Amino acid sequence: MKLYISHEIFLWFGLLLFGIAGFFLTVLFPQPAGFYAFVAVAALGGFGVSVYVWYTKSRGKQLICPSGGDCNAVVQSKYSKFFSIKLEYLGMLYFAAVFLSYSIILLTPQFFAETFRVAVMLLTATASLFSIYLLSVQAFLLKKWCIWCVLASMFSLTIFFIALISAEGAAAFLGRMENMLEMLKFAGFALGMGGATSAMFLFMRFLRDSDIDEKELETIKDVSELIFVGLALTVMSQFALYVANPAEFMESSLFLVEMLALFLAAFAAAVFMIIYAPFLVFVPFEKIPKEDRRAGFVALRRPSFVLGALALSSWYFAFATNFIPEYGLLALLFAYGAVLALSVAASFLWESQYRGGPAAK
C-alpha cells in the first residue's frame, strides 16, 4: 500500500491561507478600507474554489476529498444545482461580483451611494443564508461532506460577517455588546482548548495498544469538531471586539500574537484532520517488518505528533495572552516561538517511543 497525497490538497490549503491572510489587511489599513480589502480577498478565494470545482467537473475528473468525506457524491447530487443552474457557476458569478463591488468601493468610495452599499450587503446576506442551507444539506440530507464546498461556504460566511461589521453604526453597536462578546470569546476558548486537549488525551489513550482503529479514529474526529466550533466563536467574537475598539487593539501586540496563535492552531488542526487523520489507521506505532503493507506510512507518524503539539500549545498560548501584561511584539513573538519549540521537542520525545520504523528483514 503506497502513500499518496494529491497536490490538489495543497491548492485547498493555499486558498484557505490566502483568505485568512486578508484579516491582516484590516490591521494594516485604516477602517473601513481594511474591511473592504478583506472582503475582496475572501471573494477571490471563493472564486478560486468555484473555478476549481467547475474545471474539475467539466473535464470529468474526480474531486480530491481525503478528509473522509465524499466530494463527488456532493457535487454530483441533485442539490448541486439551483433552478437548473450549477452551483459552481453561481459561485463564480457571486464571488466575482463581490470582488468587483468591494474593489470599486475601496478604490472610489465617493462615487457610490449608500443604496449601492446596501444592495451589496443584501447580496452577501442572501449568499450567507444559502451557504448555511448548503452546509445543512451536507450535514443532514446527504450526510456527506465536501471540503471544497465547505471552504466556499466559509468564504461566503466570512464575507457577510466582515461586510456586516464594516457597516455604519456597527462599531457603536458592538461596543454596547462588549460583555456578551467577551463571554462568547471565552466560551470559544473553552470549546477549542477542551476539544484539542480531549483529542490529545484520546490519542494517547488509544495508543496504549500501539494502534488506531477505525472506531477510535472516528471518536477523535468527533471530538476534534469542537475545536473548529470553538475557533469560530473565538475568532469572530475577538474580531468583533476589535471593530468596537480598533484604536486600542491596533496598538496591542497581544492581540496580533493571539490572532496569529489562533490561526496557527486552526491551520495545524486542519492539516492534521484533512491530510493525516484519514491515514492514521494505517500508521504503525510499533516496529514492523519492511514487507508489511503499512511500512510506507511510517513517515506520517512524527508529523501527526508535531501537528497535535502545535495546535494544542497555540490554543493555550492564545488563551494566556488574555491575562498577561502588554509587551513588545518581538518579545511576544519570541515567547510564542519558544513555546512552539518546546512543544515540538516534547512531541519528538513522545514519538520516539514508537520510533524504529520498519524492521530489517
Side-chain angles (χ1 to χ4, degrees):
M1 184 179 295
K2 293 183 178 180
L3 171 64
Y4 173 72
I5 299 176
S6 171
H7 66 278
E8 294 171 354
I9 295 304
F10 296 101
L11 172 63
W12 188 92
F13 278 103
L15 290 169
L16 174 64
L17 288 175
F18 180 77
I20 289 176
F23 160 77
F24 295 98
L25 296 176
T26 65
V27 179
L28 296 174
F29 294 99
Q31 307 310 330
F35 292 131
Y36 297 158
F38 190 178
V39 170
V41 169
L44 269 183
F47 183 77
V49 174
S50 301
V51 168
Y52 167 75
V53 174
W54 163 78
Y55 178 84
T56 304
K57 289 178 63 177
S58 66
R59 280 156 179 73
K61 297 181 179 180
Q62 298 288 303
L63 290 171
I64 302 299
C65 196
S67 60
D70 192 343
C71 290
N72 297 288
V74 174
V75 299
Q76 300 293 347
S77 72
K78 64 180 181 180
Y79 301 102
S80 63
K81 294 182 180 180
F82 187 70
F83 288 109
S84 299
I85 303 175
K86 293 182 178 180
L87 293 184
E88 56 267 28
Y89 292 150
L90 293 176
M92 287 189 289
L93 179 63
Y94 167 69
F95 288 119
V98 171
F99 172 74
L100 291 174
S101 297
Y102 275 90
S103 296
I104 294 173
I105 292 174
L106 178 64
L107 297 174
T108 57
Q110 66 275 16
F111 293 113
F112 290 93
E114 190 63 27
T115 304
F116 177 77
R117 300 172 192 267
V118 172
V120 175
M121 175 69 73
L122 290 175
L123 176 63
T124 63
T126 302
S128 68
L129 291 174
F130 191 63
S131 295
I132 293 173
Y133 158 73
L134 293 176
L135 290 173
S136 300
V137 166
Q138 293 179 72
F140 304 113
L141 297 179
L142 296 176
K143 296 183 179 179
K144 300 178 187 295
W145 290 98
C146 167
I147 60 172
W148 299 95
C149 309
V150 170
L151 183 58
S153 295
M154 286 173 55
F155 280 129
S156 178
L157 292 170
T158 299
I159 287 171
F160 172 64
F161 177 70
I162 302 302
L164 182 63
I165 63 177
S166 66
E168 186 177 352
F173 173 76
L174 292 173
R176 294 192 294 270
M177 300 289 292
E178 187 171 348
N179 291 335
M180 178 64 71
L181 292 172
E182 287 284 354
M183 291 175 60
L184 288 175
K185 181 179 74 171
F186 285 109
F189 270 117
L191 289 173
M193 292 169 57
T197 304
S198 299
M200 184 65 73
F201 172 78
L202 289 171
F203 188 58
M204 295 172 62
R205 180 182 177 185
F206 293 154
L207 282 182
R208 289 177 180 175
D209 60 355
S210 300
D211 182 64
I212 300 290
D213 60 32
E214 290 283 358
K215 184 177 180 180
E216 291 170 341
L217 178 58
E218 286 303 314
T219 301
I220 292 175
K221 285 183 176 181
D222 291 341
V223 172
S224 297
E225 290 178 1
L226 292 175
I227 298 174
F228 297 101
V229 175
L231 182 73
L233 275 177
T234 304
V235 172
M236 292 177 67
S237 56
Q238 183 69 309
F239 195 78
L241 287 168
Y242 163 66
V243 174
N245 301 284
E248 175 185 344
F249 282 95
M250 286 183 69
E251 296 177 357
S252 173
S253 297
L254 283 171
F255 169 68
L256 292 176
V257 176
E258 178 185 11
M259 297 304 290
L260 177 63
L262 288 172
F263 286 144
L264 181 56
F267 184 73
V271 171
F272 177 79
M273 294 304 299
I274 293 175
I275 294 181
Y276 289 91
F279 298 106
L280 279 183
V281 294
F282 304 111
V283 175
F285 292 94
E286 59 186 350
K287 197 170 184 178
I288 60 173
K290 286 184 177 180
E291 62 271 15
D292 192 298
R293 67 188 185 94
R294 299 178 299 159
F297 294 90
V298 171
L300 297 183
R301 191 171 58 208
R302 177 173 289 181
S304 298
F305 283 89
V306 171
L307 288 169
L310 289 176
L312 188 62
S313 59
S314 292
W315 267 110
Y316 278 91
F317 189 87
F319 181 71
T321 59
N322 292 277
F323 304 99
I324 61 178
E326 189 72 47
Y327 287 97
L329 180 60
L330 290 179
L332 289 170
L333 288 175
F334 179 81
Y336 180 41
V339 169
L340 292 180
L342 288 173
S343 67
V344 170
S347 71
F348 276 27
L349 289 174
W350 184 18
E351 187 269 342
S352 67
Q353 301 179 50
Y354 309 96
R355 194 177 301 165
K361 289 184 179 180

